[in-house]
Amino acid sequence: MTYNPDIHHRRSIRVPDYDYSQAGYYFITICVQNRDCLLGEIKDGSMQLNAAGQMVCQWFDELENKFPHLKNNAFVCMPNHIHLVVQILSEPRQGQTHRSTPTGGSVSIPQVVQWFKTMTSNAYIKGVKNHHWQPFYGKLWQRNYWEHIVWDDKNLLFIRDYIINNPKTWENDVLNPTHQ
């Protein structure tokens, strides 16, 4: 089928004309393709990471090494999605250089998400080949992601609380494939 912009388009969920490289906090959710539970399971309200989930957590930790203008703030790996809060800084962290940042300056949220998806997808493929992880079909992550610009401290505290408690509320999570 040939590309037809009238029917083959995705509505942008981004804030129009907003610069996603601005200093500030960003809450991001990335879902596994088809919401397959590939990263572990919830037991008694606690996330039990499998090897793939542990790998995803390690790549989250690497974000600060890759992007000197980025600071990790909060994170949870769920069976089929992740939530994270990152802070874009106006200046690189103390002792950091611009060696990793593609532009040599700040970083944008789309760059962070693209790099994270690429690194975790490549590592997951190696896990399938070398450690018999459950294969995925097509792509590991859904094409898009959800983000929220954190506008104030009250909102940031609410989001951190949500992230911390997300495994405890898995039964009612809309991303839980068994949720009714």
Side-chain angles (χ1 to χ4, degrees):
M1 178 182 269
T2 312
Y3 174 76
N4 178 342
D6 294 328
I7 62 173
H8 297 117
H9 64 280
R10 290 180 179 248
R11 184 180 62 83
S12 177
I13 58 174
R14 310 287 163 251
V15 174
D17 301 320
Y18 184 84
D19 179 0
Y20 283 88
S21 65
Q22 285 187 58
Y25 290 91
Y26 298 86
F27 174 39
I28 301 165
T29 299
I30 306 172
C31 295
V32 172
Q33 187 77 347
N34 302 318
R35 297 187 179 161
D36 292 335
C37 294
L38 302 178
L39 308 176
E41 62 184 330
I42 303 290
K43 287 187 181 174
D44 300 322
S46 179
M47 180 62 189
Q48 306 297 310
L49 296 169
N50 60 19
Q54 292 170 9
M55 172 274 298
V56 167
C57 293
Q58 290 169 347
W59 281 109
F60 171 73
D61 292 340
E62 282 297 313
L63 287 173
E64 288 186 354
N65 294 327
K66 174 66 178 171
F67 301 105
H69 284 83
L70 193 79
K71 185 161 176 42
N72 293 341
N73 188 274
F75 179 80
V76 67
C77 181
M78 297 294 287
N80 62 2
H81 66 281
I82 61 167
H83 294 298
L84 57 133
V85 175
V86 294
Q87 180 185 15
I88 293 181
L89 306 167
S90 55
E91 297 292 327
R93 288 182 319 282
Q94 192 74 334
Q96 295 289 311
T97 66
H98 68 277
R99 66 168 170 76
S100 304
T101 310
T103 62
S106 189
V107 64
S108 71
I109 293 302
Q111 285 175 309
V112 170
V113 172
Q114 184 272 331
W115 184 83
F116 180 83
K117 284 182 173 183
T118 298
M119 302 313 287
T120 53
S121 294
N122 290 341
Y124 196 101
I125 291 167
K126 288 178 187 172
V128 170
K129 290 179 181 177
N130 300 328
H131 304 294
H132 310 289
W133 293 0
Q134 181 179 338
F136 62 88
Y137 302 97
K139 296 185 179 280
L140 175 61
W141 302 107
Q142 287 182 354
R143 179 178 175 192
N144 217 336
Y145 59 94
W146 184 86
E147 76 20 68
H148 170 79
I149 302 160
V150 181
W151 298 106
D152 57 35
D153 289 341
K154 182 178 178 183
N155 190 222
L156 181 60
L157 293 172
F158 176 82
I159 292 167
R160 283 184 189 150
D161 189 56
Y162 174 80
I163 288 174
I164 290 166
N165 290 307
N166 203 224
K168 296 174 193 162
T169 60
W170 178 242
E171 288 296 317
N172 299 316
D173 195 317
V174 296
L175 297 177
N176 181 342
T178 63
H179 175 66
Q180 301 291 339

